[in-house]
Amino acid sequence: MNKQVILTQQVAEKQNVLTLIADLKSLVKFPVLIANVLPVFTGFWLALYFSNASFQDYFSLFLLTITGSTLVIAGALVINNWYDVDIDSVMARTMKRPTVTGTISLKMVLMLGIILTSVGFILLLFTTIEATIYAFIGWFTYVVLYTMWSKRKYTLNTVIGSVSGAVTPFIGWTAVASGNHMVPILLFSILFIWQMPHTFAIAMRKYEEYKAAGVAMLPVVRGFTMTKRQIIVYVACLLPLPFYFIEFSLTFVIIATILTLAWLGLSIYGLFTKDDQKYAYISFLYSVNYITILFLLLVIVTLPVFR
């Protein structure tokens, strides 16, 4: 076998590996996965802070919590891909997923989702039962109540989907301490409310695709004006929540309030603009940065250097 043939085979093998990695990242919806793991970390970190515990002493527990929750979330996202293959084949942004292209069989996708979920729950059982229960609530809400039941039928699907994403701080917190505390409840509330305008912005951007796929998103069923009014209401509901942290961190309260007021201003502007797609895109980008900054800021203000 000459060098050219060997080189060609090596290039092909490398390309196959890269394709497989890309397919797996698509199956677990990698950006969505990371966005859901961050609140788990924040919840864990704040539980240590309020318990006056050392991160070093809980490092093994941290690894179990993060790894277990990541696998459970990934499993839910993979099963979502498996179930939604008919919708994904219609929507432009999802047509290249391996479930649609056939590069990975649906049977293999389902098996992967079940395996990831099962291993994740097993690892979480080595943390606390409470953390495992919250992970199950999130998984069941997303896979069964959202994906399989409400997504195609009711505009309420956004509310149900928001519950699954909002329980993530409870997973991290309850791995360390009881969930009967104001902080994880506030984190849940912020995430739950935030997901509504965030998802509405996505639904506005992908209006034609959701309509073609027959998904009952609010803009498809009730129109853009109603959706933009709902966005204003939900963003306004975020305003008072940071003030519950005022004794904990004034810096957080000030920054969070400024960010929320700016988002509210953008949302009110959106009610009057005629360029709905541009507004939806800007609102989507702002919402992603908003929640990332808030949850990272909660970690930063509790670092030892700031205590």
Side-chain angles (χ1 to χ4, degrees), residues 21 68 84 99 112 127 172 175 213 225 262 282 306:
I21 293 173
D84 279 351
T99 47
L112 177 62
T127 60
T225 301
I282 295 173
F306 294 108

Side-chain angles (χ1 to χ4, degrees), residues 126-257:
F126 287 95
T127 60
T128 66
I129 294 297
E130 193 173 359
T132 309
I133 290 172
Y134 278 115
F136 177 77
I137 291 172
W139 184 92
F140 182 82
T141 303
Y142 184 75
V143 171
V144 179
L145 300 183
Y146 171 71
T147 300
M148 299 181 178
W149 175 57
S150 65
K151 182 176 180 178
R152 303 161 188 247
K153 298 178 181 179
Y154 312 107
T155 57
L156 191 66
N157 62 26
T158 306
V159 176
I160 294 171
S162 294
V163 171
S164 64
V167 299
T168 47
F170 271 109
I171 301 173
W173 181 283
T174 55
V176 177
S178 169
N180 185 25
H181 194 284
M182 181 59 70
V183 170
I185 294 173
L186 285 171
L187 296 179
F188 172 91
S189 301
I190 291 172
L191 271 175
F192 175 78
I193 296 172
W194 165 82
Q195 284 180 97
M196 300 299 291
H198 170 73
T199 306
F200 288 157
I202 296 174
M204 288 178 66
R205 287 183 62 211
K206 304 299 179 182
Y207 168 82
E208 294 295 342
E209 296 182 34
Y210 280 118
K211 184 178 180 180
V215 180
M217 302 303 289
L218 186 63
V220 175
V221 178
R222 301 297 298 275
F224 280 11
T225 301
M226 173 60 75
T227 303
K228 289 191 281 188
R229 289 174 181 169
Q230 291 282 326
I231 289 175
I232 292 173
V233 170
Y234 281 108
V235 174
C237 288
L238 286 169
L239 268 174
L241 296 181
F243 286 92
Y244 287 97
F245 289 96
I246 196 163
E247 294 183 5
F248 160 58
S249 173
L250 181 60
T251 301
F252 174 79
V253 173
I254 293 172
I255 295 176
T257 302

Side-chain angles (χ1 to χ4, degrees), residues 55-70:
F55 182 76
Q56 288 82 358
D57 294 339
Y58 282 78
F59 185 69
S60 296
L61 180 62
F62 169 75
L63 290 179
L64 283 170
T65 305
I66 291 297
T67 305
S69 58
T70 299

